């Protein structure tokens, strides 16, 4: 399975002490041990969204109002 992890911007600012970020990394390691590929999304990069089986968004915020419809166009 090809999985994308997207984390909300404030988690990146807060660094290693953020619980959501830490939990996502623990899940990533577990999923990879089971043979899955987990990509930590860098929003500065370009991705072929249709290639992901799962797009998991950690967090919430107004930025999702535009981002989720964009993703849905590329990967329903």
């Amino acid at each position: 399975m090809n999985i994308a992890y997207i984390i909300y911007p404030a988690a990146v600012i807060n660094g290693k002490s953020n619980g959501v970020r830490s939990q996502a990394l623990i899940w990533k390691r577990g999923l990879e041990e089971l043979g899955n590929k987990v990509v930590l999304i860098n929003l500065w990069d370009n991705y072929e969204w249709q290639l992901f089986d799962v797009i998991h968004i950690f967090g919430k915020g107004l930025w999702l109002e535009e981002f989720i419809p964009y993703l849905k166009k590329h990967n329903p």
Side-chain angles (χ1 to χ4, degrees), residues 1-4 47-55 74-75:
M1 203 173 244
N2 191 22
I3 303 166
Y47 297 93
E48 294 183 46
W49 296 107
Q50 69 278 9
L51 299 180
F52 291 105
D53 300 302
V54 175
I55 300 173
H74 299 283
N75 188 329

Side-chain angles (χ1 to χ4, degrees), residues 26-43:
I26 290 169
W27 291 353
K28 176 184 183 291
R29 187 173 39 237
L31 287 166
E32 289 173 337
E33 288 174 2
L34 294 171
N36 298 290
K37 178 181 177 186
V38 180
V39 177
L40 301 177
I41 298 299
N42 175 353
L43 296 181

Side-chain angles (χ1 to χ4, degrees), residues 41-67:
I41 298 299
N42 175 353
L43 296 181
W44 286 91
D45 291 337
N46 294 311
Y47 297 93
E48 294 183 46
W49 296 107
Q50 69 278 9
L51 299 180
F52 291 105
D53 300 302
V54 175
I55 300 173
H56 188 120
I57 299 172
F58 291 87
K60 59 183 179 179
L62 293 176
W63 62 280
L64 292 172
E65 288 183 15
E66 292 182 26
F67 191 61

